[in-house]
Amino acid sequence: LLGNVSNRNLLEKQLAQADHISPFWPRHLVDLFVRPREFFAGQLALGNTPSFLLVTWSYGVAVALDQVHRDLVRKMKSPGNLVAMGEGSWFEFWSWILTIGAIGGFVLWWLGGWWFSVRLRWSGAKELSERSAHLLYVYSSFVVSAPTIAAALFWTATEPNYRQAVAAARPYLAALLIFPFWSLVTSYIGARTLFQVNPWKARLWLIIIPAGFYLLPLALVAAALLAR
């Protein structure tokens, strides 16, 4: 009971400090990526409107970038397929990505946040604050979206268009695969910090099962390559 009260007070303080300590200070961003327990335990203004809108929009942009990347790679592998996708200017590319990202971020905040809340309840969370669950979801997702967007911005500065960027970056794209899995660990640590959850149930619903969905496509691709 005391643990529930303590965690609820922590969440209330964080949401109340909407105009105070920004989670985007460099030290706090380092905490999010390296020491997530300190990030979520700190008295940061996670509920600050510009801050959570930015991380939500970033998540939508990263998902849009990932989808474009998948579609482009699939079309490039099709024999005889003339690929026009990604050959326009970077201005056209980013105009489309940022617009789709804003729409996608809204959907992810509501639908993805709802599903995350369900998994938190299945993990044993009591007296769950929906808003707090949504904030944990988008901030832990920032561990994926920030590196994805940073890579795309680097390509914007070094390559003439997105298609050539993807072709040039293929040797080191695998380095980005670590971030989705670390995001799952971040969400688990955040859940343990902000809510009273059962550790093993939380590992199952927040790490193991989601990681399986990440690993399944990789396993299918590896199987297809080995079958050749």
Side-chain angles (χ1 to χ4, degrees), residues 198-211:
N198 180 287
W200 282 106
K201 288 182 179 180
R203 290 176 192 134
L204 176 66
W205 288 110
L206 302 181
I207 298 179
I208 298 173
I209 293 178

Side-chain angles (χ1 to χ4, degrees), residues 50-78:
S51 297
F52 87 78
L53 285 180
L54 178 58
V55 293
T56 303
W57 189 14
S58 299
Y59 189 22
V61 167
V63 170
L65 286 168
D66 180 67
Q67 188 59 52
V68 169
H69 175 79
R70 291 172 186 269
D71 290 345
L72 180 58
V73 170
R74 184 172 61 251
K75 291 185 178 182
M76 290 174 67
K77 290 180 178 179
S78 300

Side-chain angles (χ1 to χ4, degrees), residues 170-226:
R170 291 169 83 176
Y172 56 85
L173 278 176
L176 292 175
L177 294 177
I178 187 63
F179 293 103
F181 295 99
W182 184 243
S183 173
L184 298 178
V185 175
T186 300
S187 69
Y188 166 76
I189 294 174
R192 292 290 308 275
T193 304
L194 297 176
F195 307 104
Q196 286 290 315
V197 295
N198 180 287
W200 282 106
K201 288 182 179 180
R203 290 176 192 134
L204 176 66
W205 288 110
L206 302 181
I207 298 179
I208 298 173
I209 293 178
F213 283 99
Y214 284 127
L215 290 172
L216 181 59
L218 297 178
L220 294 175
V221 170
L225 293 175
L226 291 174

Side-chain angles (χ1 to χ4, degrees), residues 79-91:
N81 190 8
L82 297 177
V83 182
M85 180 187 300
E87 293 186 342
S89 70
W90 281 112
F91 177 80

Side-chain angles (χ1 to χ4, degrees), residues 26-48:
R27 179 169 63 87
H28 299 147
L29 287 177
V30 171
D31 284 343
L32 175 61
F33 280 82
V34 181
R35 300 178 294 270
R37 191 178 309 279
E38 282 76 5
F39 178 86
F40 289 108
Q43 300 302 308
L44 307 181
L46 301 184
N48 176 278

Side-chain angles (χ1 to χ4, degrees), residues 18 57 106 116 118 213 222:
W57 189 14
F106 177 81
F116 187 75
V118 171
F213 283 99

